[in-house]
Amino acid sequence: RVERVAIEGTTGEATAGVQRAIEDARARGLPLVPVGAGHTMGGHTISPGGIALDLSGAATMALEGPLLRVGAG
């Protein structure tokens, strides 16, 4: 069984969600695997007994002055 954690929202919200997921996985001793738009066909984003960090909802872009922040989804 793979536990799926969805990350969504603005860049700041998504960052906070990823940080919480990392802390949770560490505390529980579980592997954490990032999942993006589902391009992998070989099962690289599967970790039985672990946490799949679904970043597809973090498809954001924000222009902050001369800096463009792009989400992982």
Side-chain angles (χ1 to χ4, degrees), residues 9 12 14 17 19 21 26 43 56 58 61 69:
Q19 290 171 335
R26 282 185 181 155
S56 61
M61 289 196 296
R69 293 192 187 271

Side-chain angles (χ1 to χ4, degrees), residues 21-32 47-51:
I22 290 170
E23 291 168 1
D24 182 45
R26 282 185 181 155
R28 296 167 53 194
L30 297 175
L32 182 68
S47 183
I51 298 173

Side-chain angles (χ1 to χ4, degrees), residues 26-68:
R26 282 185 181 155
R28 296 167 53 194
L30 297 175
L32 182 68
V33 179
V35 178
H39 290 93
T40 180
M41 298 300 276
H44 298 83
T45 58
I46 303 296
S47 183
I51 298 173
L53 188 60
D54 183 356
L55 299 166
S56 61
T60 61
M61 289 196 296
L63 187 58
E64 300 171 6
L67 179 67
L68 177 62

